[in-house]
Amino acid sequence: MSRSPSFSVKSELSLKPDPERMQRWVVAFCTIRFDLEQGQLIEDCYPPGCLTQDEELEVAYSSFPDSVSQHQNRSSIHDCIFFFRFQRHKNLPQGNVTPSEITEINDKITSSEPTEENLLKRSKSFSSSQGSRYLYGYVFNRQRHDERLKRGGEQKSLVILSHGPFSSVFRPLLQIMGPLYFDVGKKAIEHIASYVSIWPSPVPGKLMELPIGNAMLKVNLPPAHSLPLESGMLSEESAASVAPFLPYNQSIPQGLFHDSDLFGTFRGLLLQLWVLWELLLIGEPILVIAPTPPQCCEAVASLVSLIAPLLCSIDFRPYFTIHDPQFAHLNSLQEGDTFPPMVLGVTNLFFLKALRKIPHIVSVGSPAPNSNRVAFASRASSGKISGRPEGFGLQQLSLKFSPSSLLNVVKLRREGPLCLMTEHKEAIWSSYAATTKPDTSILNRLIDAGMSPRVEESMSVVNNEILRRHFLELTTNFLAPFGPYFRTTTPSEGSSPFVDPPTLPPFNANEFLSSLQARGVGKFLSKRMRSNWLDLYRRFLKGPNFMPWFQRRRAAAEQEQHRLWRQARMRTDIQQLIAKMSELESVDTFNAVERHLIQEIQLQQSGCAATDSAEICQKLKGDLLAVFNVLPKDVQQLLLFNPERAALLQRTPELTKPLGTHL
């Protein structure tokens, strides 16, 4: 991102906020203050009326750090940036959509032919099954300590609410907007909203340039295949995102939160990254504890990014508080109840006791030193203003085992996570036995920056790239055995493109596992996994991530196959094709061309047609007439007894007048 040192609200600015256009990026801008008498209160929400009362309350409670997480800092002004995610309440069915429900929805569609109509139904089913379920809140929080005030200070938050997990956009935007708001007040919100209104629509997977005053945000958006199903991006997915292969361009993000500081967040737990990768892959519940909200949300974002390019379908909450409506349910789970698949980021140590049923706990970060700098993790992403993550010390990178470190691990396991109540430590508590072995060759490539903050900043960029590339390759190779189920076909040379394309291979979990066991997992994974690697696939197939990912890839593959056969019909020389046909084959071809033409017309009438639909219709009408003209006269007469078919042929400009006399 490039911007000049100064940034001010220009009085001659002619732009005005357009709430409708702004909704493409931002649902609302909110300002929340902490009132000593009434607690968290929303002072202003622009545009008004876009949140329910319950949603306003949830936003207000999620926009402030827990008091226990900030007690170390006594500087006069402390700014921090973090984000949260919550479930919407307006116009939504009660409860989450389970994988079995998603399967049922899609089984009804996959059982029929993948025609234009069914592809449209499938796209709608994804939207209706999920709805606009979640909002992301990006927070700029300012705490001002003043002994003359009650309780020794005050705090206030500016929040950007969005449907999209676009941290690469809203974090740097908050670094501009936050200080500006505290300088000039509400006028800053109108000013920023005016610029957001003129931004082009988000294009997943693309580098976008977004003007904001005298600054230009240059940001990479996550690709369509990684976005939640409710984003409506299903039709945007291309063949490149269908098959699980490594992308040609490594600079393009392959998943959510590609800008998160994976190395800086987990540098004290690097050997555990492969355990965490498996836990995310199979959708196990994880509790992430950190001293501050910025470290907490950065850790959750980094975990989600580990499994790219896999679609993350588990619920993740970068910053979760006891005021979240779901906390009451989680706190009420009894012995024997299954904890739902989710990743919770918390700073309040009360969760250690309240959520005792959660099976995996990760503690990261370190208590924040006194600082008035914005706590903002920034590494590899262009479009982010550089700044070191709050609370990370310059500890030396050590990857070797020693007797003392081994004793510390044993001691931490014996003490359990409740030891965090007395002293914060970086550790993981889990009984899960990982199948994947830590790749020491990757760890040995990581660079220890020493004690120089400037050098550490640049070296973290390198380290993040090394780690992210490795886990992208690991996930891609893990998904590769599913590739044949998404493999598209095209008409063979000389065959008719008007017949229905072959259906994609049916999937059966037991047959897949048997076949995989027989042929092996492949060279890449066999070197990195233990002999029980098939168990990991079993857990993945039963977990919450598999079915949504598989169904979505399946839908994208069917769309791609439909596109390829549609193109083949446009290129086919109908005269050359029918010259080799028998009378029966010609009749079948006539019926097939007619069916494709009717479907194309129906898409036009519904407003869902492609841009080249008119050209397609013209080509199909010509093909229909060409086939009709080679049919025997008695067959022609028989076909014309159908009034709809007769009307369709009559609308064909090339139709001869004698045919019209039979109508």
Side-chain angles (χ1 to χ4, degrees):
M1 186 186 73
S2 64
R3 65 167 182 153
S4 67
S6 61
F7 187 90
S8 59
V9 178
K10 300 177 181 179
S11 58
E12 67 273 14
L13 182 70
S14 59
L15 293 174
K16 291 185 178 180
D18 184 338
E20 185 175 347
R21 293 177 62 86
M22 191 183 76
Q23 292 284 320
R24 296 177 299 181
W25 290 91
V26 175
V27 174
F29 295 97
C30 300
T31 56
I32 302 109
R33 66 180 174 88
F34 186 83
D35 186 272
L36 295 180
E37 304 295 334
Q38 303 179 59
Q40 293 91 332
L41 293 176
I42 291 187
E43 281 189 331
D44 191 34
C45 184
Y46 178 82
C50 55
L51 299 176
T52 66
Q53 188 174 358
D54 289 339
E55 289 171 343
E56 286 186 353
L57 192 62
E58 195 162 347
V59 169
Y61 278 125
S62 301
S63 300
F64 291 95
D66 287 324
S67 58
V68 293
S69 67
Q70 295 291 303
H71 68 276
Q72 297 95 341
N73 193 311
R74 301 302 301 168
S75 61
S76 58
I77 293 180
H78 175 75
D79 295 337
C80 69
I81 291 175
F82 59 94
F83 73 104
F84 59 90
R85 180 177 187 252
F86 70 95
Q87 192 167 3
R88 299 214 69 176
H89 305 285
K90 182 169 59 175
N91 299 329
L92 293 176
Q94 294 297 317
N96 293 334
V97 178
T98 64
S100 60
E101 288 171 332
I102 296 174
T103 308
E104 182 179 355
I105 290 170
N106 289 282
D107 282 345
K108 292 178 181 177
I109 298 171
T110 52
S111 62
S112 56
E113 296 176 356
T115 61
E116 289 94 336
E117 183 180 0
N118 285 326
L119 289 169
L120 180 62
K121 286 180 181 178
R122 175 187 292 280
S123 179
K124 288 181 178 179
S125 75
F126 279 117
S127 299
S128 62
S129 64
Q130 293 284 358
S132 183
R133 292 178 56 199
Y134 291 96
L135 280 183
Y136 296 81
Y138 302 89
V139 183
F140 183 97
N141 172 260
R142 172 164 290 185
Q143 294 180 335
R144 185 169 70 90
H145 297 277
D146 190 336
E147 299 298 336
R148 296 170 296 180
L149 299 175
K150 288 184 178 181
R151 296 192 182 182
E154 63 179 2
Q155 59 176 325
K156 197 170 187 177
S157 291
L158 172 67
V159 183
I160 301 176
L161 295 175
S162 173
H163 290 299
F166 302 147
S167 57
S168 59
V169 175
F170 296 115
R171 288 192 187 183
L173 179 60
L174 278 176
Q175 279 223 320
I176 296 174
M177 186 177 181
L180 185 65
Y181 169 76
F182 284 101
D183 284 344
V184 302
K186 185 178 178 180
K187 190 175 182 181
I189 296 179
E190 298 175 357
H191 182 71
I192 298 298
S194 299
Y195 279 102
V196 174
S197 298
I198 64 171
W199 287 358
S201 297
V203 182
K206 300 295 183 182
L207 175 66
M208 303 200 71
E209 296 189 357
L210 309 173
I212 189 79
N214 56 355
M216 180 66 74
L217 302 181
K218 296 182 180 180
V219 295
N220 280 300
L221 296 187
H225 67 256
S226 70
L227 292 174
L229 298 175
E230 68 265 23
S231 63
M233 297 294 180
L234 181 65
S235 60
E236 300 289 337
E237 297 183 44
S238 63
S241 68
V242 171
F245 302 122
L246 281 174
Y248 294 112
N249 189 349
Q250 294 298 318
S251 64
I252 298 176
Q254 294 302 310
L256 297 182
F257 310 121
H258 58 276
D259 55 331
S260 61
D261 185 15
L262 179 61
F263 171 75
T265 304
F266 291 99
R267 67 179 301 170
L269 298 170
L270 290 175
L271 285 168
Q272 305 296 332
L273 282 179
W274 286 264
V275 177
L276 295 171
W277 173 77
E278 285 193 23
L279 293 177
L280 263 293
L281 190 73
I282 63 179
E284 283 286 302
I286 303 175
L287 180 67
V288 179
I289 299 179
T292 64
Q295 295 178 59
C296 174
C297 70
E298 192 75 6
V300 172
S302 296
L303 287 179
V304 172
S305 73
L306 268 184
I307 59 173
L310 179 67
L311 173 70
C312 182
S313 296
I314 62 174
D315 188 6
F316 59 90
R317 306 298 179 93
Y319 180 53
F320 189 76
T321 72
I322 60 174
H323 302 287
D324 191 288
Q326 200 162 1
F327 170 69
H329 166 67
L330 298 177
N331 191 35
S332 65
L333 293 177
Q334 302 297 317
E335 194 71 35
D337 292 341
T338 302
F339 205 96
M342 58 197 317
V343 181
L344 299 178
V346 302
T347 59
N348 193 336
L349 297 178
F350 170 72
F351 284 103
L352 290 173
K353 297 181 178 179
L355 302 182
R356 292 186 298 272
K357 305 298 180 185
I358 199 164
H360 315 287
I361 298 177
V362 183
S363 174
V364 297
S366 57
N370 289 344
S371 170
N372 60 356
R373 296 176 61 185
V374 171
F376 179 61
S378 167
R379 287 297 185 265
S381 166
S382 62
K384 296 191 77 172
I385 304 172
S386 298
R388 298 190 48 218
E390 178 191 57
F392 290 121
L394 296 173
Q395 66 220 49
Q396 294 295 312
L397 182 61
S398 176
L399 302 174
K400 296 180 180 179
F401 283 115
S402 65
S404 60
S405 64
L406 185 60
L407 287 173
N408 288 334
V409 171
V410 174
K411 183 181 178 182
L412 281 174
R413 285 190 177 182
R414 185 174 64 247
E415 292 177 344
L418 288 178
C419 69
L420 297 174
M421 302 291 288
T422 56
E423 180 186 4
H424 185 81
K425 302 170 184 177
E426 291 187 310
I428 176 172
W429 289 272
S430 173
S431 60
Y432 179 80
T435 299
T436 313
K437 297 174 286 189
D439 194 323
T440 54
S441 65
I442 295 297
L443 296 176
N444 289 333
R445 290 172 56 194
L446 300 179
I447 303 170
D448 186 4
M451 298 299 291
S452 169
R454 180 174 296 182
V455 174
E456 186 188 18
E457 179 73 23
S458 59
M459 290 304 98
S460 287
V461 174
V462 176
N463 289 340
N464 277 323
E465 287 297 324
I466 292 172
L467 290 172
R468 211 169 291 287
R469 164 72 185 187
H470 169 73
F471 282 102
L472 174 64
E473 195 172 7
L474 187 62
T475 308
T476 303
N477 277 274
F478 181 83
L479 298 176
F482 297 97
Y485 298 98
F486 314 128
R487 193 167 294 153
T488 58
T489 60
T490 55
S492 59
E493 187 175 353
S495 64
S496 172
F498 297 102
V499 300
D500 293 328
T503 58
L504 299 179
F507 180 81
N508 179 279
N510 292 329
E511 291 178 2
F512 168 79
L513 291 172
S514 298
S515 173
L516 186 60
Q517 185 177 24
R519 69 176 185 269
V521 75
K523 185 177 179 181
F524 182 89
L525 291 182
S526 62
K527 294 192 303 182
R528 292 166 172 82
M529 289 187 172
R530 297 179 173 87
S531 59
N532 63 337
W533 55 265
L534 198 64
D535 290 337
L536 182 59
Y537 276 95
R538 288 193 182 96
R539 292 191 182 101
F540 177 63
L541 292 177
K542 294 177 181 178
N545 283 325
F546 169 69
M547 187 54 67
W549 170 78
F550 184 85
Q551 294 287 359
R552 191 164 177 181
R553 282 291 165 273
R554 190 83 161 182
E558 287 178 354
Q559 279 193 330
E560 177 64 10
Q561 181 157 281
H562 165 72
R563 185 186 67 82
L564 293 173
W565 283 68
R566 192 168 180 264
Q567 287 181 346
R569 290 193 286 272
M570 281 292 290
R571 294 192 300 263
T572 296
D573 185 341
I574 192 67
Q575 296 292 349
Q576 185 178 354
L577 184 66
I578 61 180
K580 306 173 185 178
M581 289 184 176
S582 64
E583 179 182 324
L584 183 60
E585 290 174 330
S586 297
V587 173
D588 289 340
T589 300
F590 179 89
N591 291 329
V593 175
E594 180 187 42
R595 185 176 68 253
H596 289 300
L597 177 57
I598 292 174
Q599 288 172 351
E600 200 69 42
I601 292 173
Q602 289 174 344
L603 284 174
Q604 288 182 350
Q605 293 172 345
S606 65
C608 300
T611 54
D612 62 347
S613 182
E615 184 182 358
I616 288 282
C617 279
Q618 194 64 29
K619 171 69 164 60
L620 291 175
K621 287 177 181 178
D623 291 348
L624 188 67
L625 177 64
V627 179
F628 182 85
N629 285 335
V630 300
L631 295 175
K633 293 298 181 182
D634 58 332
V635 176
Q636 289 183 358
Q637 296 290 343
L638 185 63
L639 290 174
L640 290 173
F641 277 128
N642 184 320
E644 294 180 357
R645 180 181 296 124
L648 189 64
L649 286 168
Q650 189 178 36
R651 289 200 298 268
T652 305
E654 297 88 345
L655 189 63
T656 58
K657 189 169 183 180
L659 284 175
T661 60
H662 296 291
L663 302 182

